[in-house]
Amino acid sequence: QRECAALAAHEQTLGHHDTFDFPAFVMNLGHRKDRREHSEALFGALGFTNLIFPETILAADINFDDTIAQGWLTRASFNGLNDRVHLRKDSAKRAYVANTIGHLSALRQALESSSDVFVVFEDDLLPTASLFQIKQALRRLLAALTSQVSHHNTGTERLIDMLYLEYCYENCTHTPLLLLPGCRGMEGTYG
């Protein structure tokens, strides 16, 4: 409750006029009401006005044969999961597959919307900078995302199709980061 009140006060300080109206999908398991409340407060304070919490699947509800039959997973990719040490237990595989299906479902829903821009967040996002700094960085990145460039063969196309914003624990020189909290590989790339 204290976090929500602080974020609401911060939102008033930042002003309501600076909003992001495109769809913002937040991946949240239905039973994690605490994370949903955190996400609503955080993204509301950042100015996101179109939060969507898509339906997610619990790991316990994953049946691998059904998932393969429905086309979410191929037998070869399922077998490949065994090559990943951290996914050798069935419970870890189920969680990984449920998470992947949830993200793919959100992407499908976003692509079916009429919006040219959308974002997908996890519900456990913890900012590493002030909300003001994050809003500034989001504005810069969204300007780059929505910028168009002339291409000599196809006419006009987008400069960027997708941004992957993630805390990085490894060399991420190919990943543009919002605030570069753990990696310096892309520092300065977007201003």
Side-chain angles (χ1 to χ4, degrees), residues 117-190:
V117 174
F118 63 88
V119 292
V120 179
F121 293 108
E122 291 286 336
D123 64 359
D124 59 352
L125 182 70
L126 297 173
T128 60
S130 74
L131 296 183
F132 178 75
Q133 290 171 312
I134 293 170
K135 279 185 116 169
Q136 285 182 319
L138 280 168
R139 274 191 234 107
R140 284 193 313 272
L141 290 170
L142 290 168
L145 181 64
T146 57
S147 295
Q148 297 192 354
V149 296
S150 294
H151 190 272
H152 65 281
N153 289 333
T154 59
T156 303
E157 57 186 48
R158 283 203 175 170
L159 182 62
I160 298 172
D161 289 320
M162 180 177 171
L163 296 173
Y164 180 70
L165 310 174
E166 180 67 72
Y167 192 94
C168 182
Y169 294 96
E170 56 193 55
N171 180 359
C172 54
T173 57
H174 302 299
T175 306
L177 299 175
L178 180 59
L179 294 171
L180 308 165
C183 175
R184 300 294 175 224
M186 294 296 289
E187 192 163 334
T189 301
Y190 292 99

Side-chain angles (χ1 to χ4, degrees), residues 33-51:
K33 308 251 185 267
D34 58 325
R35 286 186 172 191
R36 181 177 178 131
E37 186 178 293
H38 163 79
S39 297
E40 289 171 337
L42 175 62
F43 296 122
L46 286 170
F48 287 93
T49 61
N50 189 3
L51 290 179

Side-chain angles (χ1 to χ4, degrees), residues 28-83:
N28 170 257
L29 295 173
H31 68 277
R32 292 303 307 263
K33 308 251 185 267
D34 58 325
R35 286 186 172 191
R36 181 177 178 131
E37 186 178 293
H38 163 79
S39 297
E40 289 171 337
L42 175 62
F43 296 122
L46 286 170
F48 287 93
T49 61
N50 189 3
L51 290 179
I52 299 167
F53 290 84
E55 189 174 326
T56 55
I57 300 170
L58 295 175
D61 294 337
I62 292 293
N63 176 299
F64 294 123
D65 291 329
D66 290 347
T67 303
I68 291 168
Q70 294 167 1
W72 288 109
L73 190 64
T74 65
R75 180 63 63 187
S77 62
F78 172 74
N79 292 336
L81 294 177
N82 291 322
D83 295 337

